[in-house]
Amino acid sequence: SRLYVINEFKFWLEILKQTLIMKKLILTITISFFMACNMPQNISDQEANNTLDTLFEIVDNDIDRFGDIVTDDFFIFENSRTYTKDEFVDYVKSFGTFEAKRSFEDVVIDTDQNSAHLSLKQHGEFIVTTPEGKIQMIFDWLESVYMIKEQEQLKVKFYFSEVVNDTIISLN
């Protein structure tokens, strides 16, 4: 009977050990899961692409909203010169009303939790009215874009644009 009590005690002690091990394992897995859920995520390629699309939607259709999609210290290097945010808005406004068709290709995106960098080729076709009449301007650019998270919104901080091909056609 004494042997029975000792064996019974060992049996329950082993069950208790296994239960404690299981509880520790479950607790470790649970904590790991919640820590992984709270890890900051990289900016998605889709968010970077959406920001690029929004940028040009604003440039082509509502330039007065340009400040909504760029940082306060935004600048762009285009036409072999640097433009501040306000200078670029004035430059775009100098064209008056225009029609634009743009396409992007060979877009390469690199992101982290707070920023995105895109390199791409852009093709643009524009119908512009000048004092001499309507013209079609066709451009191909090689471009680089740097975006940062600002108050949970991805905004453009820097844009580099180099024309690699341009054609102007009179439509008169």
Side-chain angles (χ1 to χ4, degrees), residues 77-81 91 120 122 124 126 137-143 159-168:
F77 185 81
E78 185 168 355
N79 302 323
S80 299
R81 75 165 275 209
Y91 171 70
L120 60 129
Q122 182 183 169
F126 307 90
M137 301 187 310
I138 303 167
F139 294 99
D140 291 302
W141 293 277
L142 183 60
E143 300 182 321
Y159 207 103
F160 172 85
S161 182
E162 183 67 31
V163 172
V164 292
N165 187 32
D166 64 332
T167 305
I168 298 177

Side-chain angles (χ1 to χ4, degrees), residues 83-123:
Y83 295 86
T84 64
K85 175 175 62 173
D86 293 335
E87 290 169 334
F88 186 71
V89 168
D90 290 343
Y91 171 70
V92 172
K93 284 182 176 182
S94 74
F95 289 102
T97 303
F98 60 90
E99 297 173 38
K101 287 193 293 187
R102 299 177 187 265
S103 61
F104 307 104
E105 60 183 40
D106 298 332
V107 179
V108 176
I109 301 172
D110 184 34
T111 66
D112 61 26
Q113 295 138 6
N114 299 308
S115 65
H117 175 261
L118 290 75
S119 57
L120 60 129
K121 294 176 184 173
Q122 182 183 169
H123 176 80

Side-chain angles (χ1 to χ4, degrees), residues 15 20 54 69 73 78 119 126 137:
I15 295 284
L20 288 174
T54 300
I69 196 69
D73 60 347
E78 185 168 355
S119 57
F126 307 90
M137 301 187 310

Side-chain angles (χ1 to χ4, degrees), residues 127-149:
I127 306 293
V128 179
T129 303
T130 68
E132 293 78 33
K134 280 192 174 187
I135 58 171
Q136 180 180 25
M137 301 187 310
I138 303 167
F139 294 99
D140 291 302
W141 293 277
L142 183 60
E143 300 182 321
S144 179
V145 189
Y146 180 64
M147 303 172 181
I148 62 167
K149 276 280 189 181

